[in-house]
Amino acid sequence: MKTPAIPPDAWRRRAWLLRLAAAATAAAPAPGRAGYNIWTQTYTVEMPEIAARLARHFPLTVRPSPLLAAELSEPAVALHPETNRLSVATRVRIASPLLARVAQGALAMQTGLRFQADDRTVRLYQPDAERLELDALSRRDNQNLQLAASALAREALDGYPLHRFAPEDLRYGGRSFEPGEIRVTAQGIEVQLRPA
């Protein structure tokens, strides 16, 4: 049985579809990296980059008051598209002359995001404590430390640069762009780019 010949129009259509698929693949961000999506005019910073960037920030020591010092370590990041925020949970050790001993436990924080134009960075913005869980302390010590949790979150995260745009990230096809709305998605952070 003879195989029917493929008409020339079908070859051209198939070649065009292959070129279109290749262009879409090239425009999509690579897994675990930041990238510009030509179709949606967004720049995506994916979760692996976010986690790696925050890991470089820890461990750190914060001193929200002369009577309180906290060591934060082992950050774990989670994305919350429903609130357009992300959360960071860390191990925490708190020392104070007002405590009988060093308190240990976990601190969970949540934060928004903002763009800072002067250095082209996406930064953590207005962090707050979600939860502070500490090992066995007196009720009074525990209550006092709960009041300090938000100050710990602000000292630890506020203004920290999560991503810096290179100048070439904001140019495409001979046009310049500037970041607009920032959205937290299930995959990472999506920054809308608009013509400058």
Side-chain angles (χ1 to χ4, degrees):
M1 182 174 168
K2 193 173 182 180
T3 305
I6 298 174
D9 282 351
W11 280 113
R12 281 193 291 277
R13 194 166 40 249
R14 182 176 293 169
W16 180 81
L17 287 170
L18 287 171
R19 283 195 306 275
L20 184 62
T25 302
R33 298 178 56 202
Y36 177 66
N37 185 323
I38 189 173
W39 308 111
T40 60
Q41 289 193 326
T42 55
Y43 191 95
T44 302
V45 184
E46 294 192 350
M47 183 59 160
E49 180 182 335
I50 295 167
R53 181 76 176 146
L54 273 165
R56 290 197 294 272
H57 187 46
F58 292 88
L60 79 153
T61 300
V62 295
R63 298 180 187 278
S65 83
L67 296 175
L68 189 66
E71 296 174 9
L72 284 72
S73 61
E74 301 176 35
V77 187
L79 302 168
H80 302 284
E82 67 282 359
T83 58
N84 203 37
R85 291 172 76 79
L86 58 86
S87 63
V88 182
T90 68
R91 293 184 56 77
V92 64
R93 288 172 44 89
I94 301 175
S96 169
L98 303 178
L99 297 175
R101 60 190 176 83
V102 172
Q104 299 186 63
L107 173 63
M109 303 164 278
Q110 60 170 312
T111 181
L113 299 159
R114 67 177 175 83
F115 177 69
Q116 186 162 312
D118 62 351
D119 62 358
R120 302 181 313 277
T121 54
V122 175
R123 293 178 177 264
L124 302 182
Y125 179 61
Q126 294 185 335
D128 199 5
E130 285 184 295
R131 190 176 65 257
L132 176 62
E133 295 175 354
L134 298 168
D135 57 8
L137 291 174
S138 72
R139 183 174 178 180
R140 182 178 173 189
D141 284 346
N142 206 351
Q143 287 174 338
N144 288 337
L145 290 177
Q146 294 297 329
L147 294 173
S150 289
L152 291 176
R154 284 191 299 275
E155 286 285 318
L157 298 180
D158 198 26
Y160 181 69
L162 206 54
H163 178 77
R164 185 183 307 277
F165 286 96
E168 59 270 20
D169 294 334
L170 299 176
R171 284 195 297 271
Y172 186 80
R175 299 176 69 190
S176 294
F177 294 86
E178 60 185 25
E181 182 185 2
I182 301 173
R183 290 188 299 266
V184 176
T185 71
Q187 289 73 41
I189 296 167
E190 192 175 85
V191 182
Q192 193 73 39
L193 297 182
R194 55 189 182 221

